Amino acid sequence: MSDLRHKKLTYELRGAIFEVHRQMKVGWPEEAYPHALAQLLESRSIPVQFKPRRTLTHRAIDIQSFECDLIAYNQIILELKTLPHSNFAPSHYSQLIHYLKCWGKDLGLLVNFGPMRAEITRVVWDEPHLPAFEDYEPIKASFVRTDRSPIDLIRESIIKIGDQYGLGYPDTVYRKIAAIELNHAGLECQSQTKVNLKFGANTAHEFATDYFLIQDAYLLNIRSLFSYPAKYEFSQMKTYLNHLGLKIGLVVNFGKRQLQIFGVNPD
C-alpha cells in the first residue's frame, strides 16, 4: 500500500468523505454532496475548487466544456454520485477519465454516497504512449488510383489528432475535432450522414448517423475507449456502405491503449 499515488492526500480526503456521509446520511440529491464536501474541506484548510469548468478548443474553435465536481489540493479530481447500488458503471469511469485528461491530473476518486457506507474508488490516469494499429487489408481490393490521396489525408488527419490529444476523451470530442481537421485538410466532410432504410422496393425511413461522409465516397466512424471495436461496429459499417452504394469505410477507435484504424468493405 506504500506505493499508492498521493497516499497522504487521499487519506485526508477519505476522512472528509466519510464525515460528510456520517453527518448527511443518504437520501439527499446528488448535487447536495459536493457543496457539503467542499465546505468541510475548506474548514480543514484543504485547497478545493468547486465545480471548475474547462473548455477544450481546436484551431480556436470550442469543442466541449467539462465541469467536474471538485479538485482537491490542485491534484485530485473527485466525482460524487448517489447510486442506489454499489457498482460504478463503465460510463462513470469514462467520465472521470475525461476530466483527468482535460485537467492533466493523474488521480481521481469516484465517490458513491448512495449506500449506507460511502464507497470510494481510485481511478489512476497516465497518458499512454500512442501506438497505432492499422489494418487496410479489407479495402485493398476496392482501391483505385484516385482513392490513394483522400485515404492518405484521412489517415494523416486521424494520426495528427491522436498525436495532439492522445487517448481518453469521449468519441463526441474526437468527432468534432475530426470534422475541423478533415475540412482543414481540404476534404469535403459531411457529418451526421443520412442513410435511407430501403425495405423491399420502398424507402421506409431516413436515419441520421454519427458517420462522416467524405468526398461523397468514403464513410468514417469514430469511436473511443474500447479495447477493440465490437463486431457490431463493423457490421453496421457494412450495412451503411451497402445502402449508400459505397465501397470503402473506415472505423477509427481512440482506444484504451492504442489508436486503431480499420478498413471495411461492404461485402
Side-chain angles (χ1 to χ4, degrees):
M1 298 293 286
S2 59
D3 61 347
L4 282 179
R5 192 168 298 185
H6 307 308
K7 181 180 179 180
K8 183 177 184 299
L9 303 185
T10 53
Y11 177 82
E12 298 293 335
L13 292 176
R14 288 173 64 87
I17 289 165
F18 289 132
E19 178 61 21
V20 167
H21 192 277
R22 186 187 70 79
Q23 291 192 34
M24 293 183 64
K25 305 295 190 297
V26 300
W28 293 97
E30 191 167 281
E31 61 268 22
Y33 293 94
H35 285 276
L37 183 55
Q39 181 177 320
L40 181 59
L41 294 176
E42 288 174 350
S43 74
R44 296 182 176 184
S45 299
I46 295 175
V48 61
Q49 300 172 53
F50 177 78
K51 295 288 184 180
R53 291 180 63 86
R54 179 167 289 187
T55 299
L56 179 70
T57 63
H58 182 71
R59 297 192 182 276
I61 298 173
D62 289 350
I63 300 298
Q64 184 165 325
S65 291
F66 295 93
E67 181 183 275
C68 62
D69 283 337
L70 303 170
I71 301 179
Y73 299 105
N74 198 34
Q75 295 190 63
I76 302 170
I77 295 179
L78 295 95
E79 189 62 22
L80 314 184
K81 305 295 181 186
T82 53
L83 307 173
H85 48 77
S86 297
N87 295 324
F88 292 106
S91 60
H92 298 136
Y93 291 96
S94 296
Q95 180 188 24
L96 184 50
I97 287 172
H98 303 158
Y99 296 155
L100 294 170
K101 172 85 177 169
C102 184
W103 270 274
K105 308 303 180 186
D106 64 1
L107 179 66
L109 299 181
L110 273 176
V111 183
N112 185 9
F113 282 100
M116 297 307 294
R117 175 180 168 84
E119 297 178 340
I120 305 169
T121 297
R122 297 166 56 91
V123 178
V124 172
W125 174 254
D126 291 312
E127 187 69 48
H129 171 66
L130 190 67
F133 172 83
E134 302 176 68
D135 179 11
Y136 304 104
E137 190 64 32
I139 59 176
K140 281 186 176 179
S142 303
F143 258 56
V144 296
R145 182 180 57 82
T146 54
D147 292 322
R148 175 59 63 185
S149 178
I151 292 296
D152 283 346
L153 284 174
I154 295 169
R155 177 192 177 275
E156 289 168 9
S157 297
I158 295 300
I159 296 292
K160 184 184 295 184
I161 293 168
D163 287 341
Q164 184 170 352
Y165 295 98
L167 307 174
Y169 283 120
D171 47 26
T172 52
V173 164
Y174 292 112
R175 288 190 193 113
K176 290 175 183 178
I177 296 172
I180 297 168
E181 201 59 35
L182 291 166
N183 280 301
H184 182 78
L187 294 166
E188 274 188 40
C189 179
Q190 175 187 329
S191 58
Q192 294 186 320
T193 302
K194 292 181 171 58
V195 179
N196 290 323
L197 170 61
K198 297 174 183 177
F199 193 75
N202 301 315
T203 298
H205 193 71
E206 183 180 72
F207 292 92
T209 73
D210 291 325
Y211 284 51
F212 292 98
L213 178 60
I214 301 171
Q215 302 289 97
D216 290 323
Y218 314 104
L219 272 187
L220 170 65
N221 186 25
I222 297 177
R223 304 304 306 272
S224 72
L225 291 175
F226 291 103
S227 296
Y228 191 91
K231 288 183 180 180
Y232 176 82
E233 304 293 340
F234 299 100
S235 297
Q236 185 181 61
M237 173 64 80
K238 288 177 178 289
T239 295
Y240 289 168
L241 287 171
N242 276 296
H243 275 70
L244 292 168
L246 303 178
K247 297 296 184 183
I248 295 175
L250 295 171
V251 172
V252 172
N253 176 36
F254 290 87
K256 289 184 177 180
R257 293 297 169 192
Q258 64 178 188
L259 169 62
Q260 301 163 341
I261 307 175
F262 303 91
V264 183
N265 63 49
D267 301 326

